[in-house]
C-alpha cells in the first residue's frame, strides 16, 4: 500500500468523500433543511419506551417485590382476585410476585452476552477483513456452520457440556453470536480498507492495531450496531428458551414460568400470558432501540 502522490510526505489527508466520519453535516448554501417528522419520532419512542419500562421492572423488580415469590398463598392455578393480582401458578405461588422477581437474569444475561459478542466479533472481524486469508475463510465457514445448526440445539449441547449457570449461559450465547458479528465486521472492513486514507495510514508505517482502531472502527460502527440489535433479540430468546427448558438459576424466571404454567393456562392464563407478553415487548423494543441508535450514528 502506497501513499497517494497528491499528499505531502508525513501527512494523511482525508477528504469528506473519503471519510464519512469527518463529512460536514452543515447543509449546503441554498439547500433546504430536511423537514422534521415529529410523528415519526413519537411512533419511534412508543416502540422503544415499553421495552425500557420492562427492562427497568426486570432489573429493580427483585428489590421491590412484596410477598415472597416462593410463598404458597393460594390453591394451584387460582384465578386473579384481590390480593392476588395475576392469580397463582402451578404451586399456588403469587404470579405477580414471581413476575417481578424473575426478569433480572433475562435482561442482564442477554445484555452482557451481546456486549461480549459485539466486542469479540468486531475485533475478530476487523482482523479478518483487513488481513484476509485463512482467518477470513475460517470465519465464513463458522458462519455457515452456525447457520445450518438451530441456535437452541447449540445452546442445549453447550449447556450440557459446560454446566448450568448464568456465566455459562453468557458464554454460550456469545459463542453462538460471535461468528455472525465477525462476518458483518469483516465485510464492512473489507470495504473500508479500499479507501485511500487507510492505504495512506498503512503506507506511513502505522501499526495494524492503530489503523484498525483509528481508521476502520469508526467507519463500521453503524452496521455492527445495527446487527447488535438482532444479536440482542436472539440473546433474549435463547435466555428465555434456556429457562423454558429448565436451565439457568433456581430463582424465578420468565421463561420457566411459561413452561411451568402451560398445563393450567385454561384456569389462570396470566401465569403464561404475563411473562410471554413481557418477553415479546422486551425483544422487539431492544431491537428497535439499537436500530434507531445505529441510524442516528449514520446521519
Amino acid at each position: 500500500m502506497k501513499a497517494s502522490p497528491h499528499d505531502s510526505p508525513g501527512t494523511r489527508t482525508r477528504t469528506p468523500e473519503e471519510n464519512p466520519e469527518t463529512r460536514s453535516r452543515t447543509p449546503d448554501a441554498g439547500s433546504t433543511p430536511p423537514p422534521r417528522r415529529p410523528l415519526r419520532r413519537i411512533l419511534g419512542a412508543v416502540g422503544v419506551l415499553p421495552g425500557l419500562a420492562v427492562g427497568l421492572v426486570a432489573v429493580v423488580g427483585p428489590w421491590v417485590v412484596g410477598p415472597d415469590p416462593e410463598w404458597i398463598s393460594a390453591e394451584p392455578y387460582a384465578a386473579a382476585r384481590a390480593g392476588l393480582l395475576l392469580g397463582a401458578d402451578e404451586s399456588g405461588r403469587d404470579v405477580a410476585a414471581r413476575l417481578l422477581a424473575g426478569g433480572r437474569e433475562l435482561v442482564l444475561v442477554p445484555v452482557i452476552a451481546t456486549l461480549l459478542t459485539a466486542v469479540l466479533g468486531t475485533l475478530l472481524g476487523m482482523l479478518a477483513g483487513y488481513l484476509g486469508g485463512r482467518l477470513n475463510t475460517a470465519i465464513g465457514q463458522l458462519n455457515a456452520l452456525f447457520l445450518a445448526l438451530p441456535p437452541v440445539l447449540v445452546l442445549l449441547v453447550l449447556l450440557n457440556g459446560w454446566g448450568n449457570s448464568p456465566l455459562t449461559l453468557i458464554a454460550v450465547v456469545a459463542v453462538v453470536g460471535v461468528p455472525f458479528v465477525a462476518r458483518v465486521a469483516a465485510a464492512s472492513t473489507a470495504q473500508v480498507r479500499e479507501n485511500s486514507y487507510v492505504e495512506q495510514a498503512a503506507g506511513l508505517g502505522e501499526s495494524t492495531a492503530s489503523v484498525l482502531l483509528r481508521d476502520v472502527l469508526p467507519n463500521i460502527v453503524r452496521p455492527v450496531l445495527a446487527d447488535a440489535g438482532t444479536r440482542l433479540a436472539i440473546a433474549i430468546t435463547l435466555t428465555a428458551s434456556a429457562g423454558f427448558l429448565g436451565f439457568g438459576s433456581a430463582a424465578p424466571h420468565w421463561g420457566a414460568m411459561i413452561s411451568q404454567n402451560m398445563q393450567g393456562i385454561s384456569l389462570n392464563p396470566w401465569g403464561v400470558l404475563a411473562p410471554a407478553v413481557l418477553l415479546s415487548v422486551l425483544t422487539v423494543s431492544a431491537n428497535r432501540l439499537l436500530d434507531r441508535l445505529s441510524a442516528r450514528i449514520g446521519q
Side-chain angles (χ1 to χ4, degrees):
M1 299 182 185
K2 297 183 179 179
S4 173
H6 301 288
D7 296 314
S8 58
T11 63
R12 182 171 75 250
T13 304
R14 304 175 189 177
T15 66
E17 290 76 13
E18 292 173 335
N19 190 359
E21 291 301 310
T22 59
R23 184 180 299 148
S24 173
R25 299 184 182 182
T26 305
D28 296 332
S31 64
T32 304
R36 295 183 178 181
R37 299 177 181 178
L39 179 60
R40 186 175 179 180
R41 292 182 180 180
I42 293 173
L43 292 177
V46 168
V48 170
L49 290 178
L52 295 177
V54 172
L56 181 63
V57 169
V59 173
V60 305
W63 294 326
V64 301
V65 62
D68 183 357
E70 300 297 334
W71 180 260
I72 298 177
S73 54
E75 63 275 13
Y77 301 118
R81 60 173 185 260
L84 208 60
L85 185 61
L86 297 177
D89 68 358
E90 87 287 356
S91 299
R93 298 168 295 191
D94 189 345
V95 170
R98 292 182 66 78
L99 204 64
L100 285 173
R104 180 178 293 176
E105 183 175 320
L106 263 168
V107 171
L108 295 182
V109 167
V111 168
I112 296 173
T114 302
L115 288 173
L116 183 62
T117 301
V119 171
L120 294 179
T122 301
L123 293 176
L124 188 61
M126 285 196 302
L127 281 172
Y130 186 74
L131 300 176
R134 294 182 179 179
L135 181 58
N136 197 25
T137 302
I139 288 177
Q141 293 175 345
L142 276 176
N143 198 61
L145 175 63
F146 278 96
L147 279 174
L149 295 174
V152 175
L153 177 60
V154 178
L155 178 76
L156 290 176
V157 171
L158 294 180
L159 283 178
N160 277 307
W162 292 357
N164 181 21
S165 71
L167 290 178
T168 303
L169 187 56
I170 290 173
V172 169
V173 174
V175 166
V176 172
V178 162
F180 297 98
V181 178
R183 191 61 177 172
V184 172
S188 301
T189 300
Q191 293 180 348
V192 174
R193 184 185 59 186
E194 303 301 324
N195 291 330
S196 60
Y197 61 85
V198 176
E199 295 182 355
Q200 291 172 3
L204 291 171
E206 293 191 16
S207 65
T208 299
S210 176
V211 173
L212 291 179
L213 294 178
R214 293 178 53 189
D215 301 293
V216 174
L217 181 60
N219 293 291
I220 67 169
V221 167
R222 185 179 182 184
V224 168
L225 195 58
D227 181 72
T230 303
R231 296 302 120 212
L232 181 57
I234 293 175
I236 294 173
T237 302
L238 289 176
T239 305
S241 300
F244 184 88
L245 297 171
F247 292 94
S249 63
H253 190 287
W254 290 351
M257 289 177 65
I258 296 174
S259 174
Q260 294 164 357
N261 293 294
M262 285 294 294
Q263 292 183 349
I265 191 171
S266 60
L267 300 174
N268 180 26
W270 290 114
V272 174
L273 292 180
V277 168
L278 292 182
L279 276 171
S280 299
V281 170
L282 184 64
T283 302
V284 173
S285 297
N287 199 359
R288 287 181 63 87
L289 177 62
L290 287 176
D291 283 345
R292 283 171 58 83
L293 183 58
S294 66
R296 185 174 294 275
I297 289 176
Q299 290 177 351

